[in-house]
Amino acid sequence: MILMKKIFLALVLVLISFNFSWSEEITDYEKWELNALRAETVIETDRASIEALEKLRAQLVQWRTSFQQLQNENQDRIETIKTQIGSLGPKPESGVDPVEDRRVALDQQLSKLNEPIVRAQEAFNRADGMISEIDNLISQRQATEFLKLGPSILNPLLWGTSLGDLFKSFATLSKETSEVFSSSYFKEQVSSRLISVLLISIFSILLFIYSGTISNQLNAATRRLEKVTDFLSSCVKYLLRYLSIYSLINLAQSLGLFGIRGDLIAENFYLWIGYFIFAFWLVERLQRYWQAPAIDNSISKSLGNFAIVSPLILVAQDFGSQLGRLQLLEQQSFAILSSAITVLAGIMLWRISILIKLIVTSNSTSGTLQLKLLGFLRRIVLVVAVISPLIAVIGYVNAGTAIALPMIKTLGLLALIVILQRLTFDVYAAILNKSEDEADALAPVLIGFIITISVLPFLAIIWGTRVSSLTELWIQFQDGIKVGESRISPLDFLTFILL
């Protein structure tokens, strides 16, 4: 009797779970229908912002992924039934089919198993189509914004208004900070956390000051590992400096030092400090690698100036964008500010092209491929240095900014590639205990090529490609090409080559 009760209870639980999963599946499709109708309405009205469209697209991608997974369900069972149907042989054209009942039963089973797959395929195609429509809408808006004609910096009547708005925004932020200083809440926070505030501040300052001394402890005594440890020492030094500034900013935010709107801007301080730290690190590494005695001082001085001006330009543009987002700066004033920043970026890029020419001419006797690539890069930088300020001062501010600022980031990325490629040769020479000339082998060249290929997505993002677009390309790359009922993926070829 007890055994029968246990069996009955188990059957009840199985039925409940089956009904729950079935109702959940129906609810999922009902939820999908509601989301799909809402997405179609948003696409048809075309009034949502780009940020809202990106969020909607991310939701549709999740639905599409789930539907894609549903299409692969019951595949083993379907293949088994197809094999069974095939084993029955072809249906006779005339006469009685001796296995008709079995054939009909198998067909019904196959049809029943294919029903959720067909439904998932229809939902997958619907989601995929809406994702493509959203991508087209975003691309059209970005193209319209890129070619938008705004106010020109050549109009002197706009200078006073723009500067006035900029100073007014600074005054607003400083007023919020001063109000925080005078508030009782801030005084209570500082008094209650006085010891921790002092300890964190002192520790951060000392860490910044002695970061070079700490990192120098990594330097190897042997000449074999000198270049590798020098690279690691440099990385540790600037990492410690970034962490020290990071802790000070985090401390100020925890005390509410910047005010309400100032705190929203302070969220970007970590990135902006990263610009400067990264620029100084790049310059230090490049100064170690470029050994041209005749122009050593001029190169070092120019690189030092670029390490300050380049991140300053990027930070100024981001800061103006944040002021506009918080409605502390009028759109017209932000356009004038962006034009001025683009002109400054053009001047700096022109100076960089002169520096590259100086490097190429000083090593013209070697005639290596690197010097030819540098000459080609110099021409590109020179074109951008002339075109971007020109179209910005005319009024196409967005276009000028979208050309000049990515060029600065691209130069930083190319410098990083050079440094990492040089590191591979140093590591290879240190492992095999070879000289610098002997380290010019196939292995580090291949590693350098892989490094170059791996940064291409970052280069695409710098020049305005959306991360979602790159993800979509990667998905299509993984899916491969459909040939008949099979699908050939490029990853299969890569696996075959590696094997």
Side-chain angles (χ1 to χ4, degrees):
M1 188 67 179
I2 297 176
L3 180 61
M4 292 297 294
K5 288 182 179 180
K6 291 183 178 180
I7 295 174
F8 178 77
L9 182 60
L11 290 173
V12 170
L13 291 175
V14 169
L15 290 174
I16 291 174
S17 62
F18 176 79
N19 291 331
F20 178 77
S21 61
W22 176 253
S23 61
E24 186 180 6
E25 181 181 356
I26 294 176
T27 304
D28 284 343
Y29 273 104
E30 289 178 352
K31 185 178 179 180
W32 156 245
E33 185 66 26
L34 294 174
N35 281 271
L37 291 175
R38 179 175 63 88
E40 289 172 347
T41 303
V42 171
I43 294 172
E44 289 176 1
T45 55
D46 192 14
R47 294 180 180 177
S49 62
I50 293 181
E51 291 77 10
L53 289 175
E54 289 284 4
K55 292 181 181 179
L56 179 60
R57 187 190 186 280
Q59 296 175 2
L60 292 175
V61 168
Q62 292 179 352
W63 281 106
R64 184 182 64 177
T65 303
S66 62
F67 292 139
Q68 189 176 21
Q69 294 174 352
L70 287 174
Q71 293 179 40
N72 298 324
E73 289 188 354
N74 301 323
Q75 289 297 325
D76 295 336
R77 182 58 181 160
I78 290 173
E79 291 297 327
T80 301
I81 294 178
K82 287 182 178 180
T83 304
Q84 290 178 276
I85 294 174
S87 64
L88 297 178
K91 187 175 181 179
E93 298 179 358
S94 61
V96 180
D97 186 2
V99 291
E100 182 178 1
D101 294 339
R102 185 58 180 163
R103 194 187 304 276
V104 171
L106 291 174
D107 288 339
Q108 289 177 352
Q109 292 182 33
L110 184 62
S111 177
K112 188 175 181 180
L113 289 173
N114 280 326
E115 283 180 4
I117 296 178
V118 172
R119 190 175 186 183
Q121 287 176 345
E122 183 271 333
F124 173 85
N125 292 331
R126 187 180 183 185
D128 189 64
M130 285 189 288
I131 290 172
S132 299
E133 291 183 47
I134 290 176
D135 288 337
N136 292 333
L137 284 177
I138 294 176
S139 299
Q140 291 174 5
R141 290 192 186 182
Q142 289 178 339
T144 303
E145 193 70 19
F146 181 81
L147 298 174
K148 182 179 178 181
L149 181 63
S152 174
I153 196 175
L154 297 177
N155 185 0
L157 299 177
L158 302 177
W159 297 353
T161 306
S162 301
L163 288 175
D165 289 342
L166 186 60
F167 288 138
K168 184 179 178 181
S169 62
F170 284 137
T172 303
L173 294 174
S174 61
K175 181 181 179 182
E176 287 188 0
T177 304
S178 61
E179 289 176 354
V180 170
F181 270 112
S182 60
S183 66
S184 58
Y185 175 78
F186 176 76
K187 294 178 182 178
E188 291 176 359
Q189 286 286 317
V190 173
S191 60
S192 62
R193 301 169 53 187
L194 181 61
I195 297 178
S196 62
V197 169
L198 290 176
L199 287 177
I200 293 174
S201 301
I202 294 173
F203 176 77
S204 300
I205 295 173
L206 291 177
L207 184 63
F208 185 88
I209 295 174
Y210 292 101
S211 59
T213 305
I214 297 173
S215 62
N216 288 335
Q217 301 301 318
L218 296 174
N219 288 334
T222 60
R223 185 177 181 83
R224 176 181 175 183
L225 299 174
E226 180 182 0
K227 293 183 179 180
V228 178
T229 54
D230 180 66
F231 176 85
L232 295 176
S233 174
S234 177
C235 292
V236 171
K237 178 176 68 175
Y238 285 100
L239 179 61
L240 292 177
R241 291 181 178 179
Y242 179 79
L243 291 177
S244 63
I245 300 175
Y246 181 96
S247 62
L248 290 175
I249 297 174
N250 190 42
L251 176 63
Q253 279 191 296
S254 65
L255 295 174
L257 184 62
F258 301 109
I260 299 176
R261 283 179 287 190
D263 192 59
L264 296 175
I265 296 178
E267 291 291 338
N268 300 276
F269 284 176
Y270 307 106
L271 176 63
W272 296 344
I273 294 300
Y275 284 155
F276 283 96
I277 295 295
F278 183 66
F280 285 125
W281 178 77
L282 286 178
V283 166
E284 181 180 284
R285 300 315 307 167
L286 291 177
Q287 288 175 344
R288 298 289 181 90
Y289 293 148
W290 286 343
Q291 301 294 333
I295 55 172
D296 231 8
N297 294 331
S298 60
I299 287 181
S300 298
K301 185 178 179 180
S302 299
L303 287 176
N305 294 333
F306 297 147
I308 298 174
V309 178
S310 298
L312 187 63
I313 290 173
L314 298 177
V315 170
Q317 180 65 24
D318 288 349
F319 181 70
S321 178
Q322 292 297 321
L323 292 179
R325 185 176 64 87
L326 297 175
Q327 297 181 352
L328 293 172
L329 192 65
E330 296 293 334
Q331 186 176 2
Q332 176 180 279
S333 301
F334 175 62
I336 298 299
L337 175 64
S338 297
S339 299
I341 292 172
T342 306
V343 171
L344 180 61
I347 296 173
M348 191 200 69
L349 290 173
W350 177 68
R351 294 287 299 171
I352 290 177
S353 68
I354 295 176
L355 176 63
I356 296 175
K357 183 180 180 181
L358 190 62
I359 296 172
V360 172
T361 53
S362 64
N363 297 275
S364 58
T365 56
S366 59
T368 61
L369 178 61
Q370 291 182 350
L371 293 179
K372 294 180 181 179
L373 292 176
L374 277 177
F376 178 71
L377 177 63
R378 183 191 71 83
R379 288 190 286 269
I380 295 177
V381 172
L382 186 59
V383 170
V384 174
V386 174
I387 291 180
S388 57
L390 183 61
I391 61 179
V393 298
I394 292 175
Y396 293 99
V397 182
N398 295 333
T401 304
I403 296 174
L405 300 189
M407 192 69 236
I408 296 175
K409 296 179 180 179
T410 301
L411 292 174
L413 187 62
L414 294 177
L416 178 62
I417 294 174
V418 171
I419 292 171
L420 294 179
Q421 287 180 340
R422 183 65 185 177
L423 177 65
T424 58
F425 283 94
D426 293 338
V427 172
Y428 182 79
I431 293 175
L432 299 182
N433 196 17
K434 293 184 176 181
S435 64
E436 184 176 349
D437 297 332
E438 294 173 341
D440 193 7
L442 180 61
V445 172
L446 289 177
I447 296 175
F449 177 75
I450 294 173
I451 292 173
T452 304
I453 296 298
S454 63
V455 301
L456 289 180
F458 299 99
L459 186 63
I461 293 174
I462 287 175
W463 284 97
T465 304
R466 293 161 36 232
V467 177
S468 56
S469 299
L470 293 177
T471 306
E472 194 72 19
L473 289 175
W474 177 248
I475 292 174
Q476 295 177 2
F477 178 79
Q478 287 181 313
D479 290 341
I481 304 171
K482 189 173 183 180
V483 180
E485 296 184 355
S486 61
R487 186 176 291 274
I488 301 176
S489 173
L491 293 178
D492 298 335
F493 289 103
L494 292 178
T495 305
F496 175 75
I497 292 173
L498 291 175
L499 293 176

